[in-house]
Amino acid sequence: MMEIWQKRAEELEENDPLAHYKAEFYFPENTNVYLDGNSLGLLSKRAEQAVYKQLDSWKKHGIDGWTQGENPWFYFSEQLSAKAAALVGAHAHEVSITGSITANLHQLLTTFYKPVQGRKNIVMEELAFPTDRYAVHSQLMHHGLNENHLSLISSNDGYTVDMDDILAAIDEQTALVLLPSVLYRSGQRLDWKVITDHAHQQGAVIGWDLAHSFGVMPHDLHDAGVDFAVWCTYKYANSGPGGTGGLFVHEKHHGTIPALAGWFGSDKEKQFDMSGEFSPAADASAFQMGTPNILSMTPLKGALEMIEEAGIDRIRSRSLKLTSFLRLGIEEAAADESALNIVTPSDGYGGHIAVSHPEAAKICRALKAKGIVPDFRAPDIIRLAPSPLYTSFHDIYETLAVIKELLETREFTKYKNTRGIIA
Ligand SMILES: *Cc1c(COP(=O)(O)O)cnc(C)c1O
């Protein structure tokens, strides 16, 4: 079995046009295989260079760096937004690189959640990432409402949600829907076009959280008519810890006054008039608030240039080949070990494969001790994310070989079944 996998890995790698990108990344110490790119992507040489250049701009230009140097800071968000727009299927003026998912969610929920008599509910799914839930909760409180107005779509298996349940939850009392493009634990991908159409038929506004799809698969937010979306860039887009996030506001909503106004949301021509009256930008830039975190934004420049060059369709294609290979291998390796169960649907998923096991934390610790970095999500999920630009098919082979060995020797049982602060 192992020789077949090894040979298969070699063939897949040889025929893949993106294989050479792996050499452009730095790998952490004692790490052979890094499968945690859906939590924090790795540093590339291009992202690193972009930061050095930015520091140089500051060194050389001081305050004038806002309008001079290679990437004048005053227009830097717009420069990156144009690149990010291609990845979400939007016009450049519909995207803004700013804030974080949580901050952008608050901005867009405050702007677009308008509860009125008979239509006050927010629909989300019960497995939602906690910060999304917290943001929605505080929005309800802000309007003097409570969780009676939160419709949570329940999951039948604890990992995925059914399309029928999603559609049924959105009705004439729904004011706003917030859903993930890809569920962060199971990796299930939701059909944003079908759900967006349904939400609109019911008269609701819909926003999408693209945390687990941005940078690893293409989107068509504009054509799908999505109202708004948010994402982070430090997962598959490799922008580094705290890298600046992004938001999308469909052009049909341009002209809507941002609920949380700030001077960087101004029309650029007027920003330095220093008027007491806010003149918002005519596009998605209006939803920015304060001074952009230029240094936190900069690695994204190098990272996005690489993604643009590789091409998002080719990235998705490599990603699907990596995850299919991984899935088949795990199914084979775990054939005699019924406790190991792939929970990622096979017909629609994002960039990672999630496996459940009652001793998932132990297996994660054992993998890490062998130089393979997985990702643990309590209570029982092992997420394996082969980030397509720096994970090779050989890496998958190596991971499969170690998993097979661990299951056979049961060596993982000597580790603690608890998590650390993060994983
Ligand atoms: C990673 C992630 C976040 C993180 O939000 P930040 O504000 O960037 O810290 C939010 N939502 C989802 C679904 C995520 O996966």
Side-chain angles (χ1 to χ4, degrees):
M1 183 158 77
M2 296 319 292
E3 292 89 78
I4 297 173
W5 284 351
Q6 189 165 20
K7 197 151 172 292
R8 181 91 186 106
E10 275 165 25
E11 283 163 11
L12 284 162
E13 199 66 63
E14 260 169 37
N15 297 319
D16 198 289
L18 305 185
H20 60 282
Y21 284 104
K22 187 177 181 189
E24 295 203 35
F25 285 85
Y26 292 103
F27 282 76
E29 283 169 14
N30 305 320
T31 299
N32 302 328
V33 181
Y34 189 82
L35 298 176
D36 208 359
N38 59 346
S39 272
L40 180 68
L42 293 181
L43 173 65
S44 65
K45 292 175 186 167
R46 292 196 221 189
E48 179 185 41
Q49 282 309 314
V51 176
Y52 287 145
K53 277 193 189 165
Q54 198 69 282
L55 288 172
D56 213 45
S57 243
W58 180 20
K59 204 187 283 178
K60 284 199 187 114
H61 301 287
I63 182 77
D64 290 337
W66 283 102
T67 52
Q68 290 171 24
E70 204 170 315
N71 308 291
W73 307 325
F74 194 51
Y75 306 100
F76 194 45
S77 168
E78 284 70 20
Q79 186 191 335
L80 296 181
S81 302
K83 289 193 190 302
L87 302 185
V88 296
H91 295 302
H93 64 271
E94 292 175 309
V95 168
S96 186
I97 291 299
T98 185
S100 62
I101 289 191
T102 314
N104 293 338
L105 264 180
H106 276 297
Q107 167 69 288
L108 298 174
L109 289 171
T110 317
T111 304
F112 291 107
Y113 174 50
K114 300 277 180 224
V116 292
Q117 196 54 41
R119 193 186 277 283
K120 293 186 180 168
N121 294 354
I122 298 183
V123 171
M124 60 193 306
E125 38 93 32
E126 68 167 350
L127 306 173
F129 193 91
T131 207
D132 299 49
R133 177 82 184 266
Y134 305 158
V136 163
H137 179 89
S138 58
Q139 287 292 323
L140 290 167
M141 301 302 280
H142 172 68
H143 285 278
L145 302 170
N146 56 40
E147 293 218 344
N148 290 335
H149 290 285
L150 176 61
S151 300
L152 282 183
I153 304 159
S154 46
S155 162
N156 295 320
D157 60 1
Y159 306 110
T160 58
V161 281
D162 287 349
M163 188 58 143
D164 292 345
D165 294 338
I166 297 174
L167 298 181
I170 305 169
D171 59 24
E172 68 286 351
Q173 295 189 10
T174 308
L176 185 138
V177 182
L178 177 65
L179 288 170
S181 49
V182 170
L183 273 67
Y184 79 100
R185 290 199 305 162
S186 65
Q188 179 190 13
R189 173 211 188 293
L190 300 183
D191 189 332
W192 54 73
K193 169 81 177 122
V194 169
I195 300 168
T196 296
D197 283 347
H198 177 75
H200 289 160
Q201 277 156 19
Q202 297 297 319
V205 171
I206 183 162
W208 289 90
D209 182 334
L210 314 180
H212 283 273
S213 58
F214 182 76
V216 75
M217 63 193 282
H219 301 76
D220 57 353
L221 298 186
H222 177 87
D223 289 346
V226 164
D227 295 296
F228 69 86
V230 294
W231 58 89
C232 53
T233 59
Y234 48 78
K235 291 172 181 168
Y236 292 106
N238 310 317
S239 75
T244 303
L247 60 82
F248 162 89
V249 175
H250 198 283
E251 67 181 6
K252 66 190 169 193
H253 295 301
H254 291 181
T256 302
I257 306 295
L260 306 177
W263 75 317
F264 265 83
S266 296
D267 174 346
K268 289 219 171 307
E269 300 289 316
K270 302 204 175 128
Q271 182 170 340
F272 277 87
D273 290 353
M274 305 309 252
S275 158
E277 203 182 315
F278 179 47
S279 301
D283 55 21
S285 294
F287 295 90
Q288 293 179 60
M289 290 186 266
T291 306
N293 304 144
I294 297 297
L295 293 180
S296 304
M297 226 180 234
T298 299
L300 185 60
K301 180 178 154 65
L304 282 182
E305 279 169 5
M306 201 184 299
I307 291 175
E308 189 176 44
E309 182 185 289
I312 193 66
D313 292 316
R314 292 200 298 177
I315 287 174
R316 175 63 170 165
S317 157
R318 181 171 167 96
S319 165
L320 287 173
K321 282 187 218 154
L322 286 160
T323 44
S324 311
F325 183 36
L326 181 59
R327 175 190 284 275
L328 287 176
I330 290 175
E331 277 166 4
E332 248 183 84
D336 306 324
E337 159 69 88
S338 56
L340 197 68
N341 183 30
I342 296 177
V343 301
T344 307
S346 52
D347 54 348
Y349 63 99
H352 73 268
I353 294 294
V355 189
S356 72
H357 192 284
E359 296 180 289
K362 292 186 185 183
I363 296 178
C364 284
R365 284 176 190 275
L367 282 169
K368 218 163 177 173
K370 300 220 180 248
I372 296 173
V373 182
D375 183 281
F376 173 66
R377 280 293 167 262
D380 63 348
I381 293 279
I382 305 164
R383 298 191 304 182
L384 302 169
S387 198
L389 291 182
Y390 55 76
T391 309
S392 68
F393 291 93
H394 184 82
D395 290 341
I396 302 295
Y397 158 73
E398 203 176 317
T399 305
L400 291 171
V402 170
I403 289 177
K404 190 171 181 322
E405 182 197 321
L406 287 176
L407 292 178
E408 278 165 11
T409 61
R410 300 200 56 80
E411 194 188 318
F412 64 87
T413 54
K414 73 178 190 204
Y415 293 90
K416 283 193 300 188
N417 203 35
T418 53
R419 66 176 171 91
I421 298 283
I422 291 180

